[in-house]
Structure formats: C-alpha cells, structure tokens
Amino acid sequence: MKSSDLKEYIVEQNCIDTILEDLGCGNIVLHGGYYTCSNPDGDNKNAVVVYIGENLTVVNYTRNISKNKNTTDLFDLVSFYKDCSFPESLKY
C-alpha cells in the first residue's frame, strides 16, 4: 500500500483522533478541517495541528519533528514520537 492510499484510508475512516490518542497526545479537538492537540509530554493544547486532507499535513509549533523537510505529515509525527523510521511509521 502506498502512503497516499493509507492517508486516504485514515481520512475516510476518521482515524486521526484515534492515532493521536494512541500516540499519547492530549486535548484532542476537532475544529472542522483540522485537529489540535498537545504533545505527549506537553501541556500546550494547540501545540500540534493536523490538517484533514489528502496530505494530512502536520504543524508542531513546539517541536522540530523533521529537520530536512519544509512540510511534515502524520507519518513524520509518528516517526518523531515513536523514534522510528518512515517505513516503521507506515506499519504503525
């Protein structure tokens, strides 16, 4: 399965909040077209924003989750929190 297919599945099945919860994020709130939450080890309720869409773009305002990319996605967030590679984040 390609990562784009997996992203599509995650959006269609409304799994974003479940994934964030499983990663340990807190204060998960849906705001229409995006989710906000805190980092697993933080208390800033709006530290992480996950935009619902084909790219599942993520902005983490308090952590540098990817040093070599301009934009990050849900798989980058999983890789950062779980300290794993991209292929491992897809399996997660």
Side-chain angles (χ1 to χ4, degrees):
M1 177 180 279
K2 296 187 300 186
S3 63
S4 58
D5 295 335
L6 185 54
K7 287 178 182 180
E8 184 178 325
Y9 175 82
I10 290 169
V11 171
E12 287 175 356
Q13 298 300 313
N14 299 312
C15 298
I16 298 170
D17 57 340
T18 304
I19 293 168
L20 293 172
E21 185 176 314
D22 192 63
L23 288 170
C25 297
N27 306 298
I28 301 165
V29 178
L30 175 61
H31 301 275
Y34 64 95
Y35 283 89
T36 58
C37 62
S38 61
N39 287 294
D41 62 346
D43 60 359
N44 181 339
K45 296 177 183 179
N46 298 311
V48 180
V49 179
V50 179
Y51 293 96
I52 302 168
E54 66 182 45
N55 292 327
L56 291 178
T57 302
V58 171
V59 177
N60 191 322
Y61 290 104
T62 61
R63 309 285 191 279
N64 186 5
I65 64 173
S66 181
K67 295 177 178 94
N68 21 336
K69 293 170 77 176
N70 289 337
T71 61
T72 55
D73 62 18
L74 191 61
F75 301 127
D76 294 316
L77 192 68
V78 170
S79 294
F80 179 77
Y81 288 155
K82 294 295 185 183
D83 192 26
C84 66
S85 67
F86 177 74
E88 291 171 322
S89 72
L90 291 176
K91 291 177 186 176
Y92 176 82

